[in-house]
Amino acid sequence: HKLGRFDLILCGDATVDSGTGQVSVQLAEFLDLPSVTSAEEVVLEGETSILVKQAWERGYLKVRVKLPAVVAVTGKINQPRLPSVLGIMAATQKEIKAWHPSDVEADASRIGAAGSPTCFLETSEFHAKRQGEIFQGVPEEVVAKAVAKLRRLEVL
């Protein structure tokens, strides 16, 4: 294995091009590792597990995961900070390794657009028109009018 031993692989929750959120879970499947998506917080628990705060509908779940694992994080995982001038200078001296499929013995038919299980056919912008109505009267009448209106609109 070219990378050597690892305990944790962090991925973004979704890509900016299609947002399908498949990379982390597919990587975990290929490596036969547990995975968690939508992570807002990751806390190391000793050397063998992590506790992950996972966004879930209107709240969150706390999930304990044994290492090694793959975790897909949201933008809430940290607060970005500006690097110092020395940090920027040091970064310019760092070597960036670029690996090609052959470097990691990857099957080229299973990566990139050719290997993707999804294909974006079209994107469109959704335009919703809102309309409002103000009901007046005593609270009981207002509630009755609102409920009747929602039933006419087949919302209730």
Side-chain angles (χ1 to χ4, degrees), residues 3-37:
L3 287 175
R5 186 184 171 290
F6 60 87
D7 294 314
L8 181 62
I9 297 174
L10 295 175
C11 300
D13 210 31
T15 59
V16 294
D17 58 353
S18 61
T20 59
Q22 297 179 29
V23 171
S24 67
V25 290
Q26 286 186 359
L27 180 59
E29 180 70 19
F30 292 145
L31 297 173
D32 195 26
L33 294 175
S35 69
V36 180
T37 59

Side-chain angles (χ1 to χ4, degrees), residues 138-154:
V138 295
E140 293 80 11
E141 291 174 0
V142 170
V143 169
K145 290 177 186 176
V147 168
K149 176 75 174 196
L150 293 170
R151 285 191 174 135
R152 281 195 303 278
L153 295 171
E154 297 180 354

